[in-house]
Amino acid sequence: TIQFNIEVEFSRAQILFYDANGKLIQTSDIKTKGTGQINVFADDLTSGIYSYVLVVDGKIIDTKKMVRK
């Protein structure tokens, strides 16, 4: 589960998922204003290191890494 908090005033928010090679593997649009969360289904991923990026109105807000064992 990835939790986030987005300012109420935004036009577009997304979480972008990348594999270890930097290839975009999934995009999740965020419709929730304020605090929210999305579930990541690890069964869809092979073992490895992934990163995800929170983008709000075209600006990178935060980047995190996750590991699938």
Side-chain angles (χ1 to χ4, degrees):
T1 301
I2 298 172
Q3 298 179 342
F4 55 84
N5 185 13
I6 307 233
E7 297 288 329
V8 175
E9 298 298 323
F10 72 92
S11 298
R12 184 174 188 187
Q14 298 176 304
I15 294 182
L16 309 175
F17 295 88
Y18 295 89
D19 67 12
N21 296 319
K23 179 182 174 189
L24 179 65
I25 56 173
Q26 183 178 352
T27 301
S28 295
D29 291 327
I30 299 173
K31 307 287 187 210
T32 306
K33 296 189 185 261
T35 302
Q37 66 183 26
I38 64 169
N39 293 319
V40 177
F41 295 97
D43 292 341
D44 297 339
L45 303 173
T46 59
S47 296
I49 298 173
Y50 297 86
S51 61
Y52 55 96
V53 179
L54 174 62
V55 179
V56 178
D57 292 335
K59 181 180 176 186
I60 295 174
I61 302 300
D62 200 4
T63 300
K64 304 271 185 193
K65 292 197 183 283
M66 63 183 176
V67 176
R68 166 72 163 110
K69 293 183 179 185

